[in-house]
Amino acid sequence: MTSHDDSGGTYPAGRALVAAEAAGDEMTVEGALRPRTLDELIGQSRVRDQLGLVLEAARSRGRPPDHVLLAGPPGLGKTTLAMIIAAELSAPLRVTSGPAIQHAGDLAAILSSLAEGEVLFLDEIHRMSRPAEEMLYMAMEDFRVDVVVGKGPGATAIPLEIPPFTLVGATTRSGLLPGPLRDRFGFTGHLEYYEVDELDEIVRRSARLLEVQITDTGAREVASRSRGTPRIANRLLRRVRDYAQVRADGVVRQDIAQAALNLYEVDEEGLDRLDRAVLDALCRRFGGGPVGVSTLAVAVGEERETVEEVAEPFLVRRGYLARTPRGRVATPAAWRQLGLAPPTDVAFGQAPSLFDDDCGAGEGNAG
Ligand SMILES: Nc1ncnc2c1ncn2[C@@H]1O[C@H](COP(=O)(O)OP(=O)(O)OP(=O)(O)O)[C@@H](O)[C@H]1O
């Protein structure tokens, strides 16, 4: 069984979704769990209200809305919102990402093939190449690009009209976007981490779609360990469901959720193996910092981006880690989390930096 997706595609529902789940098709499952309209979206009430107004005004004018920038940590719903924007406008959606656009020509090819009113979703927009970015400025403002033909002194720029479209850019690092690009978005939605109550609702909705039996306390347990992130909530739900099926009667009760999440090393606060490894390296190996994020990433055997975009925002939010101009610093709470006494001889954040390798651009996003 399939249901129609407002952007023209189909998505599995009911038994078909359960079958995709059973086949381990995570992308299909994740896609099918996405809310399809602003009304279906749980949480993010501020962005929902603001965006709702932008879209309604555009609809009443019969014109594409201003370009939209969605900023926030991974897994909070940027892709979901881009799909909702297209669906609410009854417009087709084209999906691409910054890393896929390395040359201005790549972007010109996409832009010139857009239909009037189409929504172009550009994920990880901060990772686009500079020449493509410059081409995008003109496209966003004037719905026109200059395609350069030839090289050297003989090169000529051929102006190319493009139909009015709406760009939806998504970024986990809005601080890295150049001012001229940021200024060309008429609306910026800052996605916030979700409250436990909202995640609770998301978990119960996903459980319904996946035909997982879950008790209220079971859902609460999953929600409270999901570190404010719907993608994590959905993932943990699938893991506790596995556990409930294999080790119990299939019903996700609180004790089952606790046992499963303990097995997967997700603690009561939602800290996982990577979070603990970061805190452990920071406190035990680097004396609480300050230490550069690249050094920290090497110490835990992860990519810098993963530490910076996945672990850090949550640790900062929980008050375990601070980003200072001199590097990352463990707070007294971090030491206590690891069962260690915070050092008393060094004022918080004032120690000389051990490895000031990367306190430049990336630090601009602190907080
Ligand atoms: N408000 C919400 N209500 C219900 N489910 C949500 C919500 N936001 C996100 N989700 C779920 O979380 C998953 C991740 O969302 P999405 O892919 O939109 O995040 P993202 O911010 O684009 O992440 P990334 O930046 O990593 O691409 C989706 O499968 C979707 O089902």
Side-chain angles (χ1 to χ4, degrees):
M1 181 178 27
T2 55
S3 302
H4 262 287
D5 164 336
D6 291 339
S7 59
T10 56
Y11 62 94
R15 290 271 145 220
L17 174 55
V18 175
E21 231 308 73
D25 188 349
E26 300 238 338
M27 294 306 283
T28 303
V29 174
E30 180 157 309
L33 294 179
R34 290 183 201 285
R36 316 252 140 204
T37 61
L38 274 183
D39 282 344
E40 252 188 65
L41 192 80
I42 296 163
Q44 304 295 347
S45 54
R46 195 163 39 86
V47 170
R48 202 176 51 204
D49 290 350
Q50 295 166 340
L51 197 55
L53 196 62
V54 170
L55 298 180
E56 201 176 323
R59 270 196 306 259
S60 70
R61 286 193 298 266
R63 301 274 309 149
D66 275 354
H67 304 299
V68 173
L69 180 65
L70 300 171
L76 298 193
K78 296 183 291 300
T79 307
T80 302
L81 267 172
M83 291 178 167
I84 288 177
I85 291 172
E88 296 271 349
L89 295 169
S90 305
L93 174 73
R94 186 82 60 96
V95 178
T96 186
S97 72
I101 301 178
Q102 282 316 308
H103 307 286
D106 301 335
L107 183 64
I110 294 173
L111 292 171
S112 60
S113 64
L114 289 176
E116 176 149 359
E118 191 157 354
V119 173
L120 174 63
F121 177 51
L122 218 167
D123 203 3
E124 298 187 79
I125 192 168
H126 59 278
R127 294 179 62 193
M128 206 169 37
S129 73
R130 198 14 94 96
E133 200 175 275
E134 278 163 13
M135 175 179 275
L136 193 59
Y137 295 162
M138 192 190 270
M140 290 171 78
E141 211 156 71
D142 304 328
F143 299 114
R144 186 173 72 88
V145 290
D146 281 341
V147 179
V148 179
V149 180
K151 281 196 171 136
T156 36
I158 302 177
L160 190 70
E161 296 283 325
I162 46 177
F165 69 102
T166 300
L167 177 69
V168 178
T171 181
T172 48
R173 309 285 301 276
S174 60
L176 291 189
L177 284 191
L181 181 55
R182 233 178 309 157
D183 294 345
R184 282 169 169 79
F185 286 98
F187 168 71
T188 298
H190 292 278
L191 300 195
E192 308 288 348
Y193 283 106
Y194 291 68
E195 299 297 332
V196 174
D197 283 347
E198 295 163 346
L199 290 167
D200 196 338
E201 209 178 322
I202 290 172
V203 168
R204 282 184 287 113
R205 174 181 176 274
S206 299
R208 243 186 348 264
L209 292 171
L210 292 169
E211 301 185 1
V212 175
Q213 288 186 63
I214 190 164
T215 64
D216 287 350
T217 49
R220 192 80 189 169
E221 192 66 40
V222 174
S224 60
R225 296 195 193 201
S226 299
R227 51 191 305 166
T229 309
R231 174 176 293 137
I232 297 179
N234 285 339
R235 194 171 65 220
L236 296 185
L237 171 67
R238 301 204 297 271
R239 297 297 73 81
V240 298
R241 187 273 324 267
D242 292 349
Y243 189 96
Q245 277 176 358
V246 174
R247 305 254 169 106
D249 61 358
V251 181
V252 178
R253 298 187 178 80
Q254 186 177 19
D255 58 336
I256 295 292
Q258 282 166 345
L261 295 173
N262 290 344
L263 181 71
Y264 287 106
E265 300 179 271
V266 177
D267 75 11
E268 290 82 3
E269 276 189 89
L271 264 66
D272 63 14
R273 191 204 58 79
L274 175 62
D275 301 317
R276 281 191 297 274
V278 168
L279 292 185
D280 197 76
L282 188 55
C283 295
R284 288 189 220 267
R285 291 171 74 169
F286 303 117
V291 61
V293 68
S294 296
T295 309
L296 210 45
V298 171
V300 299
E302 269 296 349
E303 295 288 323
R304 173 189 167 135
E305 283 73 26
T306 308
V307 171
E308 203 164 25
E309 291 172 22
V310 179
E312 260 191 16
F314 179 66
L315 294 174
V316 169
R317 182 165 158 261
R318 300 300 303 206
Y320 289 128
L321 183 145
R323 289 167 164 175
T324 75
R326 305 179 57 77
R328 275 55 175 174
V329 178
T331 65
W335 291 87
R336 285 194 287 270
Q337 230 287 333
L338 298 172
L340 304 170
T344 49
D345 53 335
V346 182
F348 172 61
Q350 295 303 304
S353 178
L354 288 170
F355 300 92
D356 259 348
D357 57 349
D358 48 11
C359 297
E363 300 290 336
N365 272 337

